[in-house]
Every structure is written in structure tokens, then in C-alpha cells.
């Protein structure tokens, strides 16, 4: 801790709260799916989610996942959601595209929602979704963080 002679000076940190970011991402999804009267693409009773995580072990990735999962479990509609798969996209567009391609090959029409822990991965995933002949935002609802 610094001791300054001038009491009018302050030390401050401006940062983000990654847990809250994850919580807000799920809350937006939950509200949006209801407001749009969305139905699961596979005809089932659950919305299936895939997650593009950030760099493995990074505090941001861990905490965004934590917040998203906590909010999903706490939701009165928790039983309407299931995470099919979660894999690192390393916070890059290219890896986001590669992983989304893999998700689409594995789960195809079961994917309703993509939660990308940053916008670069979301943009890569959008390329994969379009290449698969699907409409991003219509066939698969996408939520991302960072505002790129």
C-alpha cells in the first residue's frame, strides 16, 4: 500500500467481473428465448447449448463459465437448458471456427444456442455456421462477450 503526502490522490483499478459477464450472458439467453418464443430445433423439450471457452485455465474463461453455469442452474427454467459440449476456442477466430465446425459435425440440428466467451471466437463460429448452410441468429442463437 502506498502512503502519499497528498490525500486527494487515489489508486484505482478498473476491470471486469467475469462471473457477472457469464451470468448476464445466460440471463440474456433465457429472456431472449422466451421473448422470441423459440423452440428447440430437434423438437425436444430442451435448448441445447455449445460453449466456446477461452484459453484453458485463464481466469476469464474459468469465471465466465462459472457465471454462465451458476445462472443457468439458478434459473426457474434450468430444466429447459442443457450444455451439449464445451471446448476451448483459445479466444481466436480461427480456433472458434474449427471448434464450431466440430460441434456441427457432432451435434448438427441439436444445437440451439452458442455461448462464445469472446467475439473473435463467435465471428469464427459464424463462418462455420454459414458454411454449414445455417443462418446465424436464426437457426442458432449466439451470445458473445467483449463488444469487438
Amino acid at each position: 500500500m502506498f502512503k502519499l503526502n497528498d490525500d486527494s490522490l487515489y489508486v484505482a483499478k478498473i476491470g471486469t467481473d467475469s462471473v457477472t459477464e457469464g451470468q448476464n450472458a445466460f440471463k440474456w439467453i433465457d429472456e431472449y428465448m422466451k421473448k422470441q418464443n423459440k423452440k428447440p430445433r430437434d423438437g425436444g423439450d430442451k435448448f441445447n447449448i455449445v460453449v466456446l471457452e477461452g484459453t484453458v485455465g485463464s481466469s476469464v474463461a474459468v469465471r465466465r463459465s462459472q457465471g454462465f453455469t451458476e445462472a443457468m442452474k439458478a434459473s426457474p427454467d434450468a430444466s429447459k437448458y442443457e450444455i451439449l459440449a464445451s471446448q476451448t476456442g483459445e479466444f481466436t477466430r480461427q480456433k472458434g471456427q474449427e471448434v464450431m465446425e466440430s460441434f456441427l459435425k457432432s451435434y448438427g440440428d441439436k444445437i440451439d444456442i452458442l455461448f462464445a466467451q469472446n467475439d473473435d471466437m463467435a465471428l469464427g463460429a459464424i463462418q462455420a455456421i454459414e458454411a454449414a448452410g445455417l443462418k446465424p441468429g436464426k437457426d442458432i442463437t449466439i451470445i458473445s462477450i467483449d463488444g469487438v
Side-chain angles (χ1 to χ4, degrees), residues 1-4 11:
M1 176 117 172
F2 293 104
K3 180 71 176 149
L4 302 172
V11 174

Side-chain angles (χ1 to χ4, degrees), residues 13 16 23 31 57 129 131:
K13 175 192 181 267
T16 62
Q23 291 169 338
E31 290 174 18
I129 292 166

